Every structure is written in structure tokens, then in C-alpha cells.
Amino acid sequence: MNKKTLAGIIVFIVALGLFIGYPNMEESWEQRKIKTMLRGEKYEEVYEILDKESHDISSWKYVAKMQSEYYLGNEDLFFRKLDSLIKKEERAGVQYLVDVMGEKLQLYLLRIDKMGGIEFTRAEVQDIVAMSYLALWRGADPAPVIRAKEIKGARDDIDVVDLFYYYAVKDLESLLDIYTQLPDDLLDAYYELLAATIADENMLLDKEFDLDKHFEKLDKFVLPKEIEREVTFAISGIIMNILDQNHRDIFLQQNFFKNNLQFNFFYSLRKSIFENHREEAIKDMNNKEKYSFIDGYQDIIDVVNNGTYVMSSRDQNWHHLFQISKDGYMVFQNDSRRYKVNLLMGEDPEDYEYSIIHSSSHDGSYFHANIYGNPGILDSKFNLVMEFEEEASVSWVDAKTFHYGAYDNSNEEFIFNLETKERTPMALRDVKFKYLENHYGDYNYIYRFDDQTYTVIPWEEIVKESGEKEIVQYYRVRNISDNSLVFELQMPSDFMGSCNKYVYYFEERDVLQVLTGIDKETNEKVYFPFFQLRSTWNLMQFSPIYSAVY
């Protein structure tokens, strides 16, 4: 074959290749053009180009058009199409959308991951998927946590995924290793998860868990001094919450617990809140020879010896019992008993017989309460004013008047004025309730109002001098007439109530929280002999998981 013939054949082959490959070359060029336009946020132009014809669900044009539709405001259509892509396992199209729109797909990312074959390359998207798996986990099967760790990969940053992973697989050593790398906002979670890795009732219930090996490991396990206090306090709470005494004793008999004096002190502290253990527990806590080495020991002992335990305010509010009235009376629960006390007079608590307080009148002069199963009305000293024989609804009309609606067959309805004792038959639909009109913003956080002023307890974001943002609560009184400010106080901790003289909250003092009042006139703090234990962290409180997912 001569050179001219050979050259001709080569030219022919190249030309034929160009002819055959032209459509693919044209598509590749068009694809690059469309992607460039999308990166430049020219969504309307992209949509006009791609809307001229229909596209197969497997085509890149199909998902490119989806992307333009999303940013043009047609999100419902976008997610319906995404749902179809996932069901038909169109991995190429889904992968493209994950790469360019990962954060926007957060409610679908778990389903996408379960398709298999999809890579999450950006850290932000990895975090969302990992957090989604954590939000599914409830402590039994560790598979969601293991998958979360796999998605995060070998990144250097230590976060909540690592904490939950080492907890789920009971890796004590790794949990200890990462302590110095933790950001401050994860420390509370860390202490509790490390504590639960040491002592957890599920260990006793899981037939596959090697309990003997775990206890052997604990015999040689030493907590670093800088975290021992917080972890032993957390462990004491975990073991105290085990209802089965036999299960509790299994842990308490281990050397790790028996020989740790800080644990023993905190465990006695938790026992002291129960009436049948109080005397024995306080006697143990007062053994200075054993416990005086503990930081803050004397302060804790002084509060416990001279104070009265109040059930956690969070639990109290769930039962609607904890309440402070405008006249300075407080009702609360301690173990299984209920009490009433006059905070302003410094009296000893007395037994209180009613179980639930539902609501107060507008200015706090009266309360709607549960009186042995039926509704009743209490005054601002929590004394019984009137009681009803049948179950009924009670709705406050104003500061002194309520509407009563019976649940029985009588269907009796009336409004009643507690000052005049006037009773007027009236259906709920005909009642004219007293509202604050034209007061917006923090009005939604209304606490009380009378004829002249209204009080709100809003949560607001502030920016500290460091530039860091923080959510704080205010106690704020305004004039109804012109909305002008009468009194304002930034709460040091969660608002717990107010009377005519003080605004109340629980001030954290080491592992305790002490009831504290701020004088409305002098702004001075006053401590009252009532305390609760510092709240411990738990999964359902861990907002970073839920904010990341929802």
C-alpha cells in the first residue's frame, strides 16, 4: 500500500469518526454550556432552553432542568422528580444533584444513601447525612451510628459523630483519647456519654455484651483527674436512675465504683433527695475525713444540710406543679410529697394537697388547679377558693373572672366573678375575653397583665463583646397605654417565676442549683434555702443534631 493510499484511508477514518461522534461532541459542548449557565445562576435561560422538548429521566438534561426549576421557585415539582429518580435508582442524576445541591436535599439524603453507590464528598453534606443517622438512633442497634461514622470518614475534626460512635461501640480508650480535642460545646455531652460507656443498664440486658470483660477493663481503668469530677457526677445519675435495685447493685459492687470516693459522694448526694434514704445519705456526705478533698465540698454540704430539695424544675413543669405566686408563695414537689412555702416570710414548708396547677388568671391573683381529679380555683396563697364536683373546662376571661364548661351531660356553662360571686349563664362562644390589643413582638411571651401593665419573658439573641451570639431570656414589664418600658432584667438563668418583690431563677452552684431572687427595686440577689441538682445532658436535649436535620 503506497503512502497516498494510506493517508487517504487515515483521513477517511478520522472523518468518519468525527461524523459518527458529532452528536456526542455536540452534547458534551452543550452540557458544558448549561453547567456554566447554572453556575452563573442563569436559571431562567436554562429553563427556556431545556423546556423546548421532553427529556428522558436518565438524561443529564432532565436533572439540569430540575435544578433550574428548584431555583425558580418550583420546589414541589423538583422534589417529586427527585422522588422518582430515587425510586428508579437513577444514580448518575442523583449523584449530580448531591454534588451541586447537597444541603438542599437534606430530608432526602438518608434515602439517597440507602440507594448505595452515592458519594458525599463535601464536609457540609457529610455532616447532614451523619446527623440524620444520629437522629434516628435510640441506643439499641448501633448500625445508624456506625454508618454516620463511615460517612464522616477520616476527617481530623472531632465532633458529635465521633462521640456517639465510640459510645455505641463501647470504646472507652478512644473516648479518652479524644478528650483534649473536643470543642467546649460538646463537653457536657462527652461527660455523659463517657459515663454511659462505663455504666449503662443496657449492658446487663444485652446478651451479646461481654459484661465480665467490661468489668475487668474497669478494674484497670483510671479517669484523668481533670474530668473525674464531671464523669463521676454523671455516672451517679445514671446508676441512680436504674429502677431495678439488683441491676443497680451489680454496678455498685464493682471496685471501680466502690473505690472512687467522688462517685460515692455524688451517689449519696442523689440518694439524699429521697426521704427514705435522706438521713443515711447526709450522714455519709458529712464525713469530712472521707470527702473534704473534693473541690467545693463545704459549699455543697452547707446547701444540702440547710436546704430543701426541689424536684427538677423541668420535670415539675411537665406536671404543672412548680409555681410561684405574686404574693411570694411557692408550691413544689420533693420526692413523692408536695409542699407549699411562703418565700417572703422564711417559713418552713408545709404539706400541700393539690396535684396540678393548670393556669393563672391574667394578673396571677387566682389559679385553676386539679383538686382530687376535679377542677377548682386557688388564690395567690394557693388556698382553695372554690371546688367543682364534675370535670369541666376553665378559661380565664380576665383577672377575676373565668368561664366554666361542664363535661357531663348537663352541658352547663357560665361565667363567674370571684370578687362579686356573680354567676351568669353564658356559652363559651358568647364570651368576650379580655385581650391585649396592638401589642406585638414579645407580646407572644406574655406572663401576666393587669389594667396598667403587662409582663413578658421573651428569649432574644444578643451579640457579646467577643462577637459571639447568645440566646438569653428577659423579664420585661411594659405600660399597656404606650408600650413604654417600666422594668427590664436580663435573666442569669431560666426564669422560674416572680412575686411582687422578686424575680426568681435557679443559680448554678457547682453540681447544685440554688433558688435565687433578684430584688426588683435594688437589683440585689437573695438566696433561698431550696435547691435542685444540676441538670444532666441527654440525647433529646442535644439541639445540634436536630437543628442539623430539621
Side-chain angles (χ1 to χ4, degrees):
M1 185 181 295
N2 60 39
K3 292 182 179 180
K4 287 185 177 181
T5 303
L6 180 60
I9 291 173
I10 292 172
V11 170
F12 173 76
I13 292 172
V14 172
L16 181 63
L18 289 171
F19 175 77
I20 294 172
Y22 176 76
N24 294 327
M25 292 177 64
E26 182 67 26
E27 183 173 290
S28 177
W29 173 84
E30 185 182 14
Q31 188 173 357
R32 289 196 299 272
K33 174 186 173 184
I34 293 295
K35 286 184 176 180
T36 300
M37 293 172 68
L38 288 170
R39 283 194 294 270
E41 300 182 2
K42 298 180 179 179
Y43 303 119
E44 289 187 21
E45 295 178 36
V46 170
Y47 182 81
E48 289 175 4
I49 293 171
L50 298 179
D51 193 46
K52 292 176 181 178
E53 56 183 303
S54 60
H55 307 288
D56 185 86
I57 194 171
S58 300
S59 165
W60 67 266
K61 293 183 178 180
Y62 185 86
V63 291
K65 184 182 177 184
M66 283 176 60
Q67 188 180 353
S68 68
E69 289 168 335
Y70 177 90
Y71 286 105
L72 290 174
N74 204 339
E75 295 182 20
D76 289 343
L77 177 61
F78 171 86
F79 286 115
R80 286 200 300 272
K81 289 183 175 181
L82 176 61
D83 191 59
S84 297
L85 286 174
I86 295 171
K87 286 179 179 177
K88 295 184 178 182
E89 298 188 347
E90 293 290 343
R91 288 180 175 80
V94 172
Q95 182 68 67
Y96 168 78
L97 292 173
V98 166
D99 290 342
V100 298
M101 299 178 63
E103 294 91 330
K104 305 288 192 303
L105 314 181
Q106 63 179 25
L107 295 180
Y108 286 79
L109 288 175
L110 280 185
R111 286 181 58 198
I112 289 172
D113 182 56
K114 290 174 182 177
M115 287 173 61
I118 302 297
E119 293 185 8
F120 305 101
T121 56
R122 289 189 292 121
E124 296 84 359
V125 181
Q126 290 171 354
D127 289 345
I128 293 174
V129 182
M131 291 294 190
S132 298
Y133 273 112
L134 290 190
L136 289 178
W137 187 57
R138 290 296 178 268
D141 181 9
V145 188
I146 293 172
R147 180 57 185 150
K149 177 67 173 170
E150 289 171 352
I151 289 169
K152 182 192 171 185
R155 284 160 38 193
D156 291 335
D157 58 309
I158 298 297
D159 63 14
V160 67
V161 174
D162 301 283
L163 286 188
F164 275 92
Y165 173 74
Y166 294 131
Y167 164 64
V169 299
K170 298 293 183 283
D171 188 343
L172 272 172
E173 290 77 8
S174 294
L175 269 174
L176 282 182
D177 288 344
I178 65 174
Y179 168 69
T180 57
Q181 306 169 58
L182 285 171
D184 290 344
D185 62 350
L186 284 183
L187 285 176
D188 287 343
Y190 175 79
Y191 299 139
E192 194 73 18
L193 286 173
L194 179 56
T197 309
I198 292 171
D200 184 344
E201 189 175 19
N202 289 326
M203 296 173 179
L204 311 181
L205 305 175
D206 185 353
K207 295 180 180 180
E208 296 182 6
F209 185 76
D210 192 336
L211 192 63
D212 291 335
K213 184 177 179 181
H214 178 70
F215 286 147
E216 285 178 15
K217 186 187 297 184
L218 283 184
D219 279 344
K220 304 170 186 176
F221 188 69
V222 178
L223 283 168
K225 289 296 181 185
E226 63 267 28
I227 65 173
E228 183 180 13
R229 181 188 186 82
E230 291 296 334
V231 176
T232 52
F233 178 66
I235 295 173
S236 68
I238 291 172
I239 294 181
M240 196 71 221
N241 287 332
I242 297 176
L243 298 180
D244 188 319
Q245 183 64 50
N246 293 327
H247 286 178
R248 203 184 302 167
D249 289 341
I250 290 174
F251 286 106
L252 295 176
Q253 290 164 6
Q254 304 306 312
N255 289 332
F256 177 85
F257 304 101
K258 286 195 299 185
N259 298 336
N260 190 300
L261 291 179
Q262 291 208 63
F263 168 79
N264 290 327
F265 178 77
F266 291 134
Y267 190 67
S268 287
L269 172 62
R270 292 187 187 276
K271 286 175 64 177
S272 73
I273 69 179
F274 297 99
E275 196 168 331
N276 58 333
H277 294 301
R278 180 171 173 79
E279 185 176 345
E280 172 197 355
I282 289 184
K283 180 180 178 181
D284 178 61
M285 291 173 66
N286 278 279
N287 187 334
K288 291 186 178 182
E289 189 175 332
K290 282 173 65 176
Y291 299 128
S292 60
F293 75 94
I294 296 174
D295 288 342
Y297 167 77
Q298 194 59 50
D299 287 341
I300 296 172
I301 284 296
D302 288 343
V303 172
V304 174
N305 285 342
N306 301 302
T308 300
Y309 172 73
V310 175
M311 183 184 286
S312 167
S313 56
R314 184 175 62 247
D315 296 334
Q316 297 258 11
N317 289 337
W318 179 259
H319 294 292
H320 308 288
L321 176 60
F322 185 93
Q323 190 71 249
I324 297 176
S325 77
K326 62 189 292 185
D327 287 337
Y329 284 78
M330 178 175 77
V331 290
F332 64 96
Q333 187 161 329
N334 176 334
D335 193 7
S336 59
R337 295 177 63 181
R338 295 182 289 271
Y339 296 93
K340 178 177 79 169
V341 63
N342 184 338
L343 293 171
L344 302 182
M345 298 301 294
E347 300 170 350
D348 291 333
E350 60 183 74
D351 286 336
Y352 173 76
E353 53 190 322
Y354 312 127
S355 60
I356 298 176
I357 294 178
H358 295 289
S359 62
S360 72
S361 63
H362 294 174
D363 66 352
S365 295
Y366 296 95
F367 294 90
H368 164 213
N370 186 311
I371 312 298
Y372 310 118
N374 293 328
I377 304 297
L378 309 176
D379 64 17
S380 58
K381 296 180 180 179
F382 299 112
N383 295 319
L384 184 63
V385 174
M386 62 187 304
E387 180 180 359
F388 305 107
E389 295 181 356
E390 304 292 341
E391 290 188 33
S393 66
V394 172
S395 304
W396 292 102
V397 178
D398 55 36
K400 307 293 189 295
T401 309
F402 64 88
H403 174 271
Y404 171 96
Y407 288 153
D408 61 13
N409 294 332
S410 69
N411 293 321
E412 184 180 21
E413 290 187 87
F414 58 83
I415 58 172
F416 187 86
N417 186 298
L418 289 158
E419 299 291 299
T420 65
K421 310 302 181 186
E422 183 179 359
R423 173 175 172 154
T424 307
M426 186 176 296
L428 182 63
R429 62 177 177 273
D430 298 325
V431 176
K432 293 183 178 180
F433 291 93
K434 179 177 180 180
Y435 293 108
L436 290 181
E437 298 180 356
N438 302 319
H439 288 80
Y440 302 105
D442 57 13
Y443 165 75
N444 292 325
Y445 298 89
I446 189 130
Y447 173 57
R448 289 175 183 158
F449 69 94
D450 53 33
D451 292 334
Q452 305 296 325
T453 63
Y454 69 97
T455 303
V456 289
I457 46 174
W459 291 91
E460 296 178 3
E461 183 179 82
I462 63 170
V463 180
K464 298 192 288 189
E465 290 183 5
S466 62
E468 183 183 353
K469 294 181 179 179
E470 183 182 8
I471 303 295
V472 300
Q473 191 175 29
Y474 285 90
Y475 177 87
R476 190 176 285 146
V477 182
R478 293 186 181 276
N479 284 311
I480 292 176
S481 59
D482 59 3
N483 219 35
S484 57
L485 191 64
V486 177
F487 176 78
E488 181 180 70
L489 174 68
Q490 181 179 318
M491 297 300 302
S493 184
D494 291 0
F495 170 81
M496 293 307 303
S498 73
C499 69
N500 295 327
K501 185 173 180 60
Y502 297 108
V503 179
Y504 298 95
Y505 68 99
F506 278 99
E507 180 175 280
E508 190 164 303
R509 190 181 297 177
D510 205 312
V511 296
L512 304 178
Q513 293 174 319
V514 178
L515 184 65
T516 306
I518 297 181
D519 192 300
K520 293 180 181 179
E521 292 186 2
T522 66
N523 218 35
E524 293 181 355
K525 287 198 298 187
V526 177
Y527 296 105
F528 296 90
F530 299 92
F531 71 94
Q532 58 187 34
L533 302 189
R534 190 180 69 199
S535 299
T536 53
W537 176 94
N538 66 55
L539 173 60
M540 296 307 292
Q541 291 174 303
F542 193 54
S543 59
I545 290 179
Y546 295 92
S547 62
V549 179
Y550 303 110

